[in-house]
Amino acid sequence: MTASSDRERALEQDVFDEWPPQLRAAFDGTSLETKTGFTASLVTLDANGHLRTSLVGVGELYAPDSRTVCIALWPQSRAARALARGGRAALTFVFDDAFYQVQLDIQRLPDAGVGLACFAGSIDTGEARRVRYARLTGGITFELEGEGETVLNRWKQQIEHLKKAAGAVPGR
């Protein structure tokens, strides 16, 4: 047996086009105070053709159904500007001992005048990868400091806005 076939056998890969139940629960907009350390990388393509990464947390992500994730961003951010042009993005993160990469088709959500740029990403394809010889224990994580309660309250408002915006999209 070769080393490469050992590696191939050690890799577990799940492909999906709908959120697995445990992930949908993570992005359901509830109990944010228990999910504050979670961080995902949102990868977008800027106007110059460069890949850019923005970090988003559970207060900026909401899954209104099994195939969608809504994203709330500051309107002046690079990611918001890139997504406003439409197209695609990728969301990558560590969850449940696996590395996830989710390819998204993006559309802008209606503006409700709350100072956020909101988008809906439909899952094109998602992958979860695990290896048998090691367990991923975290990706990029953080702890809220200082004004943590203020941040949590803002996140709760953002999630409520995403819920409203997601409900305004035909077909949902």
Side-chain angles (χ1 to χ4, degrees):
M1 188 173 300
T2 66
S4 91
S5 65
D6 287 345
R7 282 192 301 270
E8 289 171 17
R9 287 179 10 140
L11 177 68
E12 294 178 24
Q13 180 175 331
D14 296 320
V15 178
F16 57 91
D17 62 2
E18 292 188 344
W19 290 117
Q22 70 276 19
L23 273 176
R24 183 139 182 235
F27 302 144
D28 68 1
T30 65
S31 304
L32 297 178
E33 48 283 327
T34 66
K35 304 171 186 176
T36 60
F38 175 86
T39 308
S41 295
L42 178 65
V43 181
T44 58
L45 187 65
D46 73 13
N48 296 321
H50 296 116
L51 293 172
R52 302 292 183 179
T53 300
S54 300
L55 301 179
V56 293
V58 294
E60 289 101 13
L61 301 169
Y62 168 65
D65 59 52
S66 65
R67 295 188 48 100
T68 308
V69 64
C70 295
I71 305 164
L73 300 168
W74 297 114
Q76 67 276 16
S77 69
R78 287 188 306 202
R81 291 191 309 267
L83 294 180
R85 289 190 308 279
R88 302 179 51 80
L91 195 64
T92 63
F93 52 89
V94 172
F95 183 84
D96 195 25
D97 302 335
F99 174 74
Y100 284 81
Q101 183 173 36
V102 184
Q103 301 292 323
L104 302 168
D105 291 318
I106 299 293
Q107 76 177 58
R108 182 100 191 228
L109 291 173
D111 182 13
V114 295
L116 297 170
C118 297
F119 304 89
S122 299
I123 298 174
D124 176 38
T125 186
E127 295 178 358
R129 293 179 172 204
R130 292 176 181 80
V131 292
R132 291 185 181 98
Y133 57 83
R135 186 172 63 89
L136 287 175
T137 59
I140 300 168
T141 58
F142 67 93
E143 294 179 12
L144 292 175
E145 294 185 1
E147 300 179 22
E149 192 64 34
T150 303
V151 172
L152 278 171
N153 287 332
R154 185 181 78 235
W155 282 0
K156 289 174 184 176
Q157 291 172 1
Q158 288 175 188
I159 293 295
E160 289 307 311
H161 175 70
L162 284 173
K163 287 178 180 179
K164 249 191 233 181
V169 175
R172 287 212 169 83

